Every structure is written in C-alpha cells, then in structure tokens.
Amino acid sequence: MQCRILFWAIGYTCIVTAQSTAGDTTFGLRLPSRPISDRFSHTLQPLEPGKPVTCATLDGPGCIQHLFVVVNAKTVPLAERQVVMRIYFDGATVPHVEAPLGDFFGVMHGAGWYPINTPLLSVKERSGFNSYFKMPFGRSARIEFESNVRTPLYLQVDWHRYPNQELQEPRRFCARWRREMPTQRYGEDFFMLDADGPGQLVGFVYGVRLIDQTDRWSHGGSDNIYLDGEGEFPAYLRGIGGEDSFGVGYGGALHTPETHLHSSIPYYVHEDVGDARPAQRVVGYRFFVEDTVSFEKSIHMRFGCMKNDICATVFWYQEGVPRPYVRLPDWKQLLPGTELPRGSIDLPLPDHGGWAICAPLDNEQDRAINDALRAAPLDSNPDVKWRVRQAYHGFIDFNHVFRPETKGVAVHHRGVAGQARCVLTVEEECTAELLFSWDDRLILQVNDQPPMDLGRNDAFRSRIIPVKLRKGRNSVLLTLSNSQGSNHGGWAFAMRATDSDGLPLLPTPAVPAGTEDE
C-alpha cells in the first residue's frame, strides 16, 4: 500500500511516497501485511493432576501476539512451578515451548508473584502473567497445560490471522527451562542452551537460590555465548560478572528489586537458613532487542556459577523444530530446594568431536608460547594434567575445566597458557583448510611440521590456515595464551576443519598418557 501526501506552499508541490512494509521490526520477522485480529478467551475448569489438556488450537497462518494466563497461586502453593505450559507449532510432536508456567513468564523459585514490566514480559502482582513474544506459525498452533495440582486456569490469547495470505517467515519461537541443584563450585558453568541455526537469541531469565555456606557467593561469572563455532565467522560473547548481565554492578548486594526495559533484577531477597547467615534469592532477566544476537549455524550458552540451586528459561527463534537438549524432571524435582544433579535431565548433544586439553601452563614472559614455538614436549612433565573435552559446535573453552578458585569479577587465570591436542584423519593425502577463531596468542603445530605463530587477536577473530595432511592420522597441537583482553579473560577457541573437497573433518582427542575423561 502506498500513501501520497501533498504539501502546498508558495506555489511549490512536494509529493512524499511511503511504502508500507510487512513484518516485525523487533526481531525481523517476515509477517503478512494484512492481519486480522482474533482472540481466544477461556476460563477452564480446574486442571486435574497428571492430565495434559489442550486449551487452545489456532488455525494458520497466524501469529500469537499476547498470552495472558492466571493460576490460583494464592491458595495453591507453588502452583506456578507445578503447572507446565507447552506450545506446538505446525503439527510438531516436539514442543517449541516447554517450561513451568511461572518460569516462562519470569517468576522463578515458586515465588508466586513479583512485578515485571518489559515489552516482552509483564507480571502484575497477584493479578496475571503476560507475554508479548510474537509467535508465528504456518499451519497451526496448539497450547497445552499439564498440572500436578488441582487449580483453575484462565487463558487469553490475542493473535493475528492471515486469511488468503502466505507466511514466509521460516523461524518459530522457542523456549526451554533448565534447573540444576547443586551446580558445581569452581567448576563447570551452568548450561542454558544448545540450538541449531539459523536463529536469533531473544533473551533469558535466570534464577539463583544461594545454598553455598562455604563461599556464600551467588554467582561465579556471567553469560558466555558461543555462536557459529563451525561457521564462517564464529563469535564468543563473554560477560563480566553475574549481576552485570542484568545491568547491575557491585554484586547486586545493595540492589533494590526493580524492573526495567531490557535488563534488570526484579526479585532480590535475603532469608535466614542453616546457621542463620543470610542467603540470597535472585532473579534477573536480559533481552537482546536493540543489541540483537543472531546465529547461522549454532548457539551454545552457559552462565558462570558456584554451588547453588540455579534455574533459567531461555527464549529464541530458529528455523524448524528445536532439537531437545534437556527434558523436564519429575514433579518433585521441579520444586526449588530439591536435588537435581548436573546431567540428570540433559540429553546427548550432537557429536562435534573433542580434544585433549591441559592447563594452566606458566606463560610469564611468554614462557609457554616460546616452548610451543620450539616444539618442546609436555608429556614428560608429571605436573601436566590432560583431560578429554567435548567440543561444542567447534568450541573449546579452557575456563570450563581449569578455573581458578578466586572470588570476585576476576574469575580467570592470568599469565598462563593452555594446550589442546586432536587428531584429524583423512583417507588420502590432501591440503586441508583449518579455520581457527580465538583471542590472545595462538601457536599451531600439525604433525612434525614447524610450529606456526598465528599471532595475537585482541578480540575473537578468525583466520583460515591451509595445511598439508598425510594419509591416515594427523596430529594437531595448539597453544593459546590468556590475558585480560577485551573479553574479560575469556580463554576459548573454535576450529572448523575441512578436507580438499570441502567435507568436514571431525577432531578426535589425541590422548597422552594420564589423560582424564571429562
């Protein structure tokens, strides 16, 4: 549709032509230009325990614009954590959205209600949950609820129909919830998301119940986002500290709970537990609206943590049906405070190979780097501990394994280096192409060829290296230094290997004696 506006002034005529455009400017969704507004409103009889109920079925093409849900959390304790919401698009059997009801809307820990006021999530205290995520679908959308308690449920869906129009947008809205209790102390970061592209990260809500009576530290790092590790331009986004992810400084200890546009901590309380020392409950949210985060191949996401009870809901768009990477636990383990060890609800991730890694190596005055340039062996050093590490879409992060036991924002090693070893196997001699992405200084050695100094990147950047591979097994050894840099001590690299025909080569760990599995 065109609009023609004529201005008359002093004998001159100015014609301004405006072309209307379809789509959503927030996340670049391509939506039809002539929406018909529709609404599904229903007051359900009480949900019965253990009986999934399809509450709304919408015919496509269409797009959900607004969800309003109320459960009786006032009289049914923890109802918002004992009701699960699932949304399926276009006849999929795997839910695109699966999360406890309150956690989807940003209310965690079974806290009942607290105000949230953002363009995407809105919670009125003791009044209702609202979401404004746009959820396009081609053929159909189905909204299902399952409860472990008997509670009434009120549901309103505002959506657009597009009769006689075609939906060209291939992406679908997705959301998943994950919980772990206890998380690792000075160990593995809290796992949040693993998804395939093309897609776009929308944001996340993150909740911590502090249970650690030793360090009494509610976080141990920040968000770590790994993008397109096997793509053309891998990227690594690393935060500073846990509270900084939500736009708050100094640990959030003096933070008054409040809600802001795209990031905030709306829930922050202390309570006496154990030996009566104060413990924290924290909830923060972060939405990537103005600072969009897109991915073509993959996204992997973690958050620095200590030994606590942690949960998170992540929101994103992607093409196709989401690949399950986590399942919901049983009803009891949905509840805060119940034990849910790492890995107990995680599903296998795609195999992207792996490496044997060791660290930290003393790199004062570039000692480890110079040893690598001389091809000095490490196997004879009894103090060097090698571990096998799975690659996440091509990424290896030394900080996941070799984390210093220090508190504060400086949760990274300084003046050190790490080494990683793998084997690439080819059927015939060829010239392969290795795409490395890293920051700081990287030394590469293939087989018995002279080590190559690939130089220093101040930020995560890429370089393509052609290498000669012999028939059979080929050893790849890299040494990566670590410093403060522009990503706050990030210590990661990504590798994509392809043979002369452009076919991918999967790295397998080159396991020295004494190597430990992860």
Side-chain angles (χ1 to χ4, degrees):
M1 180 182 69
Q2 288 189 337
C3 174
R4 294 170 61 88
I5 305 174
L6 280 70
F7 296 95
W8 300 90
I10 321 178
Y12 289 94
T13 303
C14 174
I15 300 178
V16 179
T17 301
Q19 178 73 43
S20 69
T21 57
D24 169 62
T25 58
T26 304
F27 294 107
L29 299 175
R30 294 181 292 171
L31 303 177
S33 60
R34 301 188 306 279
I36 304 299
S37 296
D38 207 338
R39 173 176 289 173
F40 174 92
S41 298
H42 197 52
T43 301
L44 300 176
Q45 296 298 322
L47 295 174
E48 297 296 336
K51 296 181 179 179
V53 178
T54 295
C55 297
T57 301
L58 312 177
D59 294 330
C63 182
I64 296 172
Q65 304 286 315
H66 168 231
L67 290 176
F68 168 73
V69 185
V70 176
V71 293
N72 197 351
K74 184 175 182 180
T75 59
V76 182
L78 296 173
E80 71 284 351
R81 184 51 82 77
Q82 291 283 277
V83 176
V84 170
M85 181 174 71
R86 300 182 181 95
I87 303 178
Y88 302 80
F89 298 121
D90 302 327
T93 57
V94 173
H96 289 76
V97 173
E98 184 175 47
L101 183 64
D103 294 76
F104 176 84
F105 291 92
V107 175
M108 309 194 119
H109 308 310
W113 310 87
Y114 45 82
I116 296 178
N117 183 25
T118 79
L120 299 174
L121 290 176
S122 175
V123 177
K124 295 3 183 248
E125 190 167 4
R126 298 194 179 278
S127 301
F129 297 132
N130 297 267
S131 89
Y132 297 91
F133 299 113
K134 287 180 168 45
M135 306 181 189
F137 53 94
R139 293 187 287 115
S140 64
R142 183 169 68 89
I143 304 175
E144 175 187 282
F145 293 92
E146 184 178 1
S147 180
N148 192 45
V149 294
R150 193 173 189 272
T151 177
L153 182 139
Y154 305 86
L155 172 66
Q156 181 172 296
V157 184
D158 292 299
W159 65 293
H160 286 167
R161 295 186 292 116
Y162 306 114
N164 301 321
Q165 299 174 78
E166 181 181 353
L167 181 72
Q168 297 181 347
E169 176 56 59
R171 293 175 295 170
R172 299 294 180 261
F173 178 80
C174 303
R176 282 294 185 276
W177 176 87
R178 184 181 179 276
R179 175 175 171 263
E180 188 178 319
M181 154 64 175
T183 50
Q184 288 191 327
R185 176 173 172 260
Y186 298 116
E188 185 70 88
D189 288 348
F190 178 76
F191 172 40
M192 297 177 66
L193 172 64
D194 190 278
D196 303 318
Q200 186 170 357
L201 179 63
V202 173
F204 62 94
V205 186
Y206 188 78
V208 178
R209 291 169 59 95
L210 191 147
I211 62 172
D212 181 12
Q213 294 286 352
T214 302
D215 291 277
R216 305 210 51 75
W217 193 16
S218 62
H219 65 274
S222 187
D223 52 333
N224 288 264
I225 304 172
Y226 308 87
L227 304 167
D228 296 331
E230 294 173 315
E232 186 177 2
F233 299 106
Y236 171 35
L237 310 181
R238 175 175 165 86
I240 298 176
E243 76 281 16
D244 301 87
S245 298
F246 313 114
V248 178
Y250 299 101
L254 304 178
H255 178 71
T256 300
E258 55 191 350
T259 178
H260 288 277
L261 193 62
H262 300 311
S263 64
S264 200
I265 297 180
Y267 184 70
Y268 191 108
V269 298
H270 286 75
E271 60 180 11
D272 290 337
V273 297
D275 59 357
R277 288 181 291 181
Q280 299 173 351
R281 291 186 185 180
V282 182
V283 175
Y285 60 79
R286 175 73 159 89
F287 296 114
F288 300 92
V289 178
E290 303 300 333
D291 51 342
T292 55
V293 176
S294 299
F295 52 97
E296 288 297 319
K297 294 286 188 179
S298 62
I299 182 171
H300 186 86
M301 186 173 178
R302 292 175 179 265
F303 204 104
C305 65
M306 292 293 285
K307 184 179 178 181
N308 290 308
D309 185 354
I310 300 179
C311 57
T313 307
V314 184
F315 313 98
W316 75 99
Y317 289 101
Q318 73 162 76
E319 294 186 16
V321 179
R323 169 177 45 77
Y325 62 90
V326 65
R327 61 174 178 84
L328 286 181
D330 60 33
W331 291 108
K332 179 181 178 181
Q333 291 176 313
L334 285 176
L335 298 179
T338 58
E339 186 173 344
L340 189 59
R342 180 171 72 100
S344 58
I345 60 173
D346 297 332
L347 301 176
L349 300 180
D351 184 10
H352 296 277
W355 296 69
I357 64 175
C358 74
L361 307 174
D362 181 10
N363 195 45
E364 291 295 335
Q365 298 181 339
D366 285 336
R367 183 176 292 111
I369 291 293
N370 291 330
D371 286 345
L373 288 171
R374 295 194 305 269
L378 289 177
D379 294 356
S380 59
N381 187 341
D383 296 328
V384 172
K385 301 296 183 183
W386 291 88
R387 299 184 186 180
V388 171
R389 184 70 186 180
Q390 177 186 3
Y392 296 119
H393 305 280
F395 278 99
I396 292 290
D397 191 335
F398 289 98
N399 279 324
H400 284 173
V401 182
F402 305 103
R403 179 178 162 184
E405 295 193 11
T406 58
K407 294 179 64 174
V409 296
V411 287
H412 57 269
H413 287 281
R414 293 178 173 84
V416 299
Q419 285 199 323
R421 301 171 55 154
C422 79
V423 168
L424 299 176
T425 303
V426 294
E427 294 184 358
E428 299 293 339
E429 179 180 321
C430 68
T431 298
E433 185 177 274
L434 306 184
L435 188 153
F436 280 103
S437 302
W438 77 98
D439 63 23
D440 237 54
R441 191 174 175 187
L442 182 66
I443 310 300
L444 171 67
Q445 184 176 16
V446 178
N447 294 326
D448 53 0
Q449 301 169 20
M452 293 179 282
D453 188 347
L454 302 190
R456 181 186 301 275
N457 290 333
D458 291 331
F460 212 76
R461 295 295 184 268
S462 302
R463 181 177 169 184
I464 295 176
I465 310 296
V467 296
K468 294 286 188 180
L469 298 184
R470 59 199 181 201
K471 180 180 178 179
R473 293 166 56 88
N474 295 264
S475 172
V476 177
L477 172 67
L478 64 82
T479 304
L480 180 65
S481 64
N482 193 47
S483 63
Q484 173 77 15
S486 64
N487 68 347
H488 208 262
W491 197 9
F493 70 90
M495 184 191 77
R496 183 189 72 187
T498 53
D499 64 14
S500 55
D501 295 323
L503 299 177
L505 300 174
L506 197 68
T508 57
V511 182
T515 300
E516 303 173 10
D517 290 336
E518 66 175 344

